């Protein structure tokens, strides 16, 4: 494995490091060059760039420093983490046949590992063995870490298996590195299987081993298994430290089990283990997530009393918790307090607050926070702008969103806009029916080399169909496919709904069938859209089949589904089916809404079923739903047509008691009903008098109408309460 891996020095690092300015040193004695070199890289304030420059000039002037000095320079550069300089020195050394020492070659391994090139480090092992040096476990461990850090855990395991063949025994660090790599790859069974292997070779698992396993399990939500390891660890005489407790507390808190996390925290304190800021952050974040922000603030106070300084994560999770708990203004106060105290804030902190404010509709305040960021010298990132653009669009402030967007375009050298930025603006404009402007933004996006994603096309296809611009919608559909996007359920739903709304039912049905063939399960929204269109076109049997199919499609009908079918069956004159649907709805635990009751009342009255309509009305009122003007209008006409004088009077008085306001149509209905009751009243004379009250969109309360009628016609005995 070691001899096969090779590396090309000229390809491993940028050539710019190898080409520093050259000045002739032919007149300078070699001893002076070496002295100057040592002064540059050994003194406290080392000047590594100058040292490398001098080294290269010396090489080019045939004033070769000794191997000892070259190797010392190489080692100093590795220790100071100047990895590119270190590699350039090594490259020059090999070109002029200065043999690198064991420490230099070991340093070269570190260079490759730290620069994410562990496969080249394997080639260095081959060089070390070829030169007759003996490999130590430290170098192997470095390469193991390099592979695991890159997620190449299989290569690390392969190397781990070859270590012994080179006469080197793995140590705890070797095993722990493999355990960590396996945990990060979520290969926990293999990681746990390493424990008995360690014990078999006399390398007992230590605190780091268990802490690594517990942390990995907790991050994967397997907290109970991690607790089992804690007990196993204790049985072996190992005492848990703050890292172990911190991992378990974080695991419980991530699962929402604050009480269990707090119990472990209390156990920590009883054992004299001092929690750190990470421990407190886990608990406070959990409290904020479950809405107990006051308790989170109390924990912050307790933390500060212990002399533990909050960090930016602490404040960020508190700000998030306050926003989620409806205390956005408190979150702003906390941010201002942090700024006043001189706390170092991150972009994430500001972004969390901007998001929280936007979610509560406080987009003006969110905009102010963005400006504060800039004033404090912190450059907003694309997330900052995207969040604010989404908030502005969501709450109808599209002009402000456009203004911000144009501002960001000017500053694009600082912030790289992404597809989310454009989508937020397109969505906001479409929501305000500003399709032409949305399309312009789409073209601006395309001009900048951003082709748009599925969300982009879903928004525009849906809006084009809503606007009845079918050719453009189909053009977008074709372009979507050309770009290699695979339509999802949202794409199909947009098209089904759009074609249903413009009355192109056959196309909608075709897309519905294509959706199922493509592997996308239709949603309840899709079924409801199609059923509504089918009922509208009197295709009740097809609608019924879809309604039955819903339950076989891993979803249940909702109130909208039942309302659609109840209206469709009543429209077709099928009273029995309508009653069965209503009863099924109740059996499923679905409470009827105002539309359910309104539909039943209107349809029953059309069939002359006055008592049924009245019964439904009473249920509607009893369930807390407020009848609208259409319901009152239908009931009054129904009662009047059947000569139910008392019912008319009772309903009018009930409307007056409830403070119902009347539009022109309902006012007219009341007057006609009263004229039908009294032969002395003439609607032709009454209506002009009261129609002025409800003209031009104005309304009059039922109570005021009764008072005026009583004034003009006391014989009606219309006493308003």
């Amino acid at each position: 494995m070691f001899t096969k891996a090779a590396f090309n020095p000229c390809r491993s690092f940028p050539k710019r490091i190898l080409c520093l300015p050259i000045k002739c040193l032919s007149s300078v004695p070699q001893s002076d060059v070496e002295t100057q070199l040592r002064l540059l890289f050994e003194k406290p304030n080392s000047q590594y760039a100058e040292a490398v420059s001098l080294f290269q000039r010396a090489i080019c002037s045939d004033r070769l420093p000794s191997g000892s000095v070259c190797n010392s320079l190489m080692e100093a550069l590795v220790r100071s983490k100047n990895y590119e300089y270190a590699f350039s020195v090594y490259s020059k050394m090999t070109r002029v046949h200065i043999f690198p020492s064991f420490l230099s070659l070991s340093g070269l391994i570190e260079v490759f590992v730290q620069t994410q090139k562990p496969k080249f480090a394997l080639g260095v092992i081959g060089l070390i063995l070829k030169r007759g040096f003996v490999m130590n476990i430290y170098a192997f461990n470095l390469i193991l870490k390099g592979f695991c850090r890159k997620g190449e855990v299989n290569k690390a395991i392969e190397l781990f298996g070859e270590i012994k063949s080179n006469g080197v025994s793995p140590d705890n660090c070797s095993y722990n590195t493999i355990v960590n790599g396996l945990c990060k790859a979520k290969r926990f069974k293999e990681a746990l299987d390493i424990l008995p292997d360690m014990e078999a070779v006399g390398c007992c698992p230590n605190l780091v081993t268990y802490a690594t396993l517990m942390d990995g399990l907790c991050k994967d939500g397997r907290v109970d298994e991690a607790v089992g390891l804690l007990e196993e660890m204790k049985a072996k005489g190992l005492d848990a430290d703050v890292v172990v407790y911190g991992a378990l507390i974080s695991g419980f808190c991530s699962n929402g089990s604050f009480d269990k996390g707090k119990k472990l925290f209390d156990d920590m304190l009883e054992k004299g283990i001092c929690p750190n800021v990470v421990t407190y952050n886990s608990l406070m974040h959990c409290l904020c997530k479950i809405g107990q922000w006051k308790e989170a603030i109390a924990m912050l106070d307790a933390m500060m009393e212990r002399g533990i300084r909050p960090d930016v994560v602490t404040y960020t999770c508190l700000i998030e918790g306050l926003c989620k708990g409806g205390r956005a203004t408190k979150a702003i106060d906390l941010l201002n307090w942090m700024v006043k105290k001189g706390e170092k804030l991150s972009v994430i902190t500001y972004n969390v607050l901007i998001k929280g404010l936007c979610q509560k509709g406080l987009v003006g305040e969110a905009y102010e926070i963005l400006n504060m960021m800039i004033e404090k010298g912190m450059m907003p990132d694309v997330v900052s702008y995207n969040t604010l653009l989404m908030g502005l669009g969501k709450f109808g402030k599209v002009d402000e969103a456009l203004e911000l967007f144009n501002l960001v375009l000017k500053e694009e050298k600082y912030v790289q806009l992404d597809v989310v930025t454009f989508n937020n603006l397109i969505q906001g404009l479409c929501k305000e029916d500003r399709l032409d402007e949305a399309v312009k933004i789409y073209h601006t996006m395309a001009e900048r080399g951003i082709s748009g994603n599925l969300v982009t096309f879903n928004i525009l296809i849906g809006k084009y169909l809503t606007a009845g611009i079918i050719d453009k919608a189909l053009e977008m559909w074709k372009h979507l496919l050309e770009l290699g996007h695979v339509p999802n359920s949202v794409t199909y739903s947009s098209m089904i709904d759009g074609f249903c709304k413009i009355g192109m039912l056959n196309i909608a049905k075709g897309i519905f069938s294509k959706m199922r063939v493509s592997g996308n399960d239709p949603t309840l929204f899709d079924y409801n859209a199609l059923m509504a269109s089918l009922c509208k076109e009197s295709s009740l049997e097809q609608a019924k089949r879809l309604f039955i199919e819903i339950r076989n499609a891993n979803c249940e009908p909702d109130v909208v589904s039942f309302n659609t079918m109840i209206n469709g069956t009543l429209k077709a004159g099928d009273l029995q089916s309508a009653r069965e649907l209503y009863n099924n709805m109740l059996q499923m635990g679905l409470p009827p809404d105002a539309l359910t009751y309104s539909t039943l009342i209107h349809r029953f009255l059309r069939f002359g079923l006055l008592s049924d309509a009245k019964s439904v009305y009473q249920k509607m009122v009893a369930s807390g739903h407020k009848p609208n003007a259409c319901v009152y209008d239908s009931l009054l006409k129904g009662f009047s047509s059947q000569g139910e004088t008392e019912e008319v009077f009772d309903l009018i008085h009930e409307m007056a008691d409830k403070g119902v306001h009347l539009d022109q149509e309902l006012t007219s209905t009341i007057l006609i009903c009263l004229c039908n009751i009294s032969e002395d009243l003439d609607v032709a004379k009454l209506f002009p008098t009261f129609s002025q009250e409800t003209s031009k969109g104005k309304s009059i309360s039922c109570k005021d109408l009764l008072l005026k009628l009583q004034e003009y016609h006391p014989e009606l005995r219309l006493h308003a309460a």
Side-chain angles (χ1 to χ4, degrees), residues 178-326:
I178 296 295
V179 167
N180 187 42
L182 288 168
C183 285
K184 285 183 176 176
K186 298 186 184 300
R187 292 161 62 174
F188 297 108
K189 186 180 183 304
E190 293 171 75
L192 289 165
D193 288 344
I194 287 177
L195 296 181
D197 292 346
M198 290 179 72
E199 292 173 342
V201 297
C203 189
C204 295
N206 58 16
L207 196 59
V208 175
T209 318
Y210 282 105
T212 303
L213 281 165
M214 283 187 271
D215 184 59
L217 288 167
C218 286
K219 284 177 178 173
D220 198 49
R222 300 162 67 170
V223 190
D224 291 336
E225 291 178 64
V227 172
L229 282 177
L230 175 66
E231 297 307 317
E232 180 184 317
M233 187 183 82
K234 288 178 180 177
K236 292 183 178 179
L238 292 170
D239 293 325
D241 63 0
V242 66
V243 177
V244 171
Y245 275 108
L248 291 169
I249 289 168
S250 176
F252 279 124
C253 289
S254 295
N255 286 351
S257 304
F258 174 79
D259 291 339
K260 291 182 179 180
K262 182 63 166 59
K263 186 178 183 302
L264 275 177
F265 178 78
D266 293 336
D267 290 344
M268 260 181 84
L269 298 180
E270 285 178 13
K271 292 178 180 178
I273 301 170
C274 184
N276 57 23
V277 66
V278 177
T279 320
Y280 277 105
N281 285 348
S282 297
L283 290 164
M284 283 188 280
H285 189 239
C286 184
L287 285 169
C288 288
K289 279 202 302 185
I290 59 179
Q292 297 183 19
W293 60 272
K294 288 183 180 177
E295 289 80 356
I297 296 289
M299 186 158 279
L300 172 65
D301 293 337
M303 170 180 162
M304 295 175 75
E305 285 174 9
R306 284 184 168 272
I308 301 171
R309 182 181 174 84
D311 61 10
V312 68
V313 177
T314 315
Y315 290 117
T316 302
C317 80
L318 285 173
I319 286 172
E320 184 178 19
L322 288 167
C323 288
K324 287 181 177 178

Side-chain angles (χ1 to χ4, degrees), residues 321-591:
L322 288 167
C323 288
K324 287 181 177 178
R327 301 289 190 278
T329 52
K330 288 279 186 185
I332 295 173
D333 292 341
L334 178 57
L335 183 82
N336 289 330
W337 180 76
M338 290 168 66
V339 171
K340 190 175 179 181
K341 278 191 66 179
E343 295 287 345
K344 188 176 180 181
L345 306 180
S346 70
V347 176
I348 295 173
T349 311
Y350 283 105
N351 287 350
V352 165
L353 182 53
I354 290 170
K355 181 181 178 181
L357 291 168
C358 285
Q359 287 176 337
K360 298 299 178 184
L362 302 171
V363 288
E365 288 82 350
Y367 215 138
E368 289 177 10
I369 295 298
L370 184 81
N371 289 330
M372 181 197 291
M373 265 181 94
I374 298 168
E375 288 171 9
K376 299 295 178 185
M378 179 146 315
M379 204 60 204
D381 62 9
V382 70
V383 176
S384 317
Y385 288 115
N386 286 349
T387 305
L388 187 51
L389 282 170
M390 182 183 289
L392 290 167
K394 182 179 178 181
F395 292 97
K397 297 184 179 292
V398 183
D399 290 325
E400 290 90 334
L402 281 169
E403 183 182 340
L404 177 62
F405 175 76
N406 290 326
L407 180 67
V408 178
L409 280 182
K410 293 177 183 177
E411 301 293 330
E412 201 169 2
K413 61 181 177 180
Y414 301 112
V415 181
Q416 189 67 42
L417 301 181
D418 60 14
V419 68
V420 178
T421 317
F422 290 95
N423 284 349
N424 284 333
L425 197 54
I426 291 169
Q427 177 78 62
L429 288 164
C430 286
K431 187 180 175 183
E432 295 294 312
D433 295 325
R434 294 162 68 170
L435 179 57
D436 290 342
E437 292 173 81
V439 172
K440 285 181 182 177
I441 296 297
Y442 169 74
H443 290 311
T444 301
M445 177 175 71
E447 287 166 6
R448 279 170 164 69
I450 303 173
S451 58
N453 59 15
L454 201 53
V455 175
T456 319
F457 290 102
N458 288 347
I459 295 168
L460 289 171
I461 288 171
K463 196 61 189 176
Y464 272 132
L465 287 173
T466 302
I469 311 174
I470 301 168
D471 57 334
K472 289 292 183 182
L474 294 176
E475 186 181 310
M476 278 287 170
W477 168 266
K478 183 180 177 183
H479 190 38
L480 175 154
L481 297 175
E482 287 172 350
L483 289 172
H485 294 302
V486 178
N488 61 10
S489 58
V490 178
T491 319
Y492 286 110
S493 294
S494 296
M495 297 189 75
I496 291 167
D497 184 55
F499 281 114
C500 281
K501 283 179 178 175
I502 58 178
M504 302 182 75
L505 183 55
N506 286 334
I507 296 178
K509 289 194 289 186
I511 294 168
F512 184 81
S513 299
K514 185 176 178 62
M515 181 181 189
R516 286 193 287 198
V517 171
S518 70
N520 287 286
D521 293 328
T523 65
L524 185 58
F525 177 84
D526 305 318
Y527 282 105
N528 287 344
L530 274 176
M531 287 190 300
S533 291
L534 287 166
C535 287
K536 189 177 180 180
E537 292 199 359
S538 300
S539 300
L540 184 59
E541 290 306 313
Q542 290 184 54
K544 283 181 178 179
R545 285 197 291 272
L546 278 180
F547 185 78
I548 294 168
E549 187 183 309
I550 289 176
R551 297 192 178 187
N552 300 324
N554 297 321
C555 56
E556 290 288 337
D558 61 3
V559 177
V560 176
S561 317
F562 278 102
N563 286 349
T564 300
M565 293 307 299
I566 288 170
N567 186 51
T569 52
L570 286 173
K571 180 183 174 184
D574 189 353
L575 293 170
Q576 182 60 32
S577 294
R579 293 182 196 277
E580 288 174 1
L581 283 164
Y582 177 76
N583 290 329
N584 288 340
M585 188 178 180
L586 297 177
Q587 288 170 7
M588 283 180 60
L590 282 174

Side-chain angles (χ1 to χ4, degrees), residues 83-100:
Y83 298 121
E84 291 190 9
Y85 282 149
F87 183 79
S88 78
V89 168
Y90 171 82
S91 181
K92 287 286 187 183
M93 285 169 62
T94 55
R95 286 180 186 178
V96 295
H97 307 294
I98 297 175
F99 292 108

Side-chain angles (χ1 to χ4, degrees), residues 17-18 20-23 25 33-34 36-37 40-41 48-67 69-74 77 85-96 98:
I17 291 295
L18 306 176
L20 296 171
I22 296 174
K23 181 179 178 181
L25 296 176
V33 171
E34 292 187 358
Q36 288 179 39
L37 268 174
L40 287 169
F41 70 77
Y48 296 111
E50 289 81 356
V52 173
S53 177
L54 177 59
F55 168 79
Q56 292 189 359
R57 284 185 280 127
I59 295 291
C60 293
S61 301
D62 292 327
R63 295 293 183 189
L64 300 181
S66 66
V69 171
C70 291
N71 282 307
S72 294
L73 173 60
M74 171 80 178
L77 291 168
Y85 282 149
F87 183 79
S88 78
V89 168
Y90 171 82
S91 181
K92 287 286 187 183
M93 285 169 62
T94 55
R95 286 180 186 178
V96 295
I98 297 175

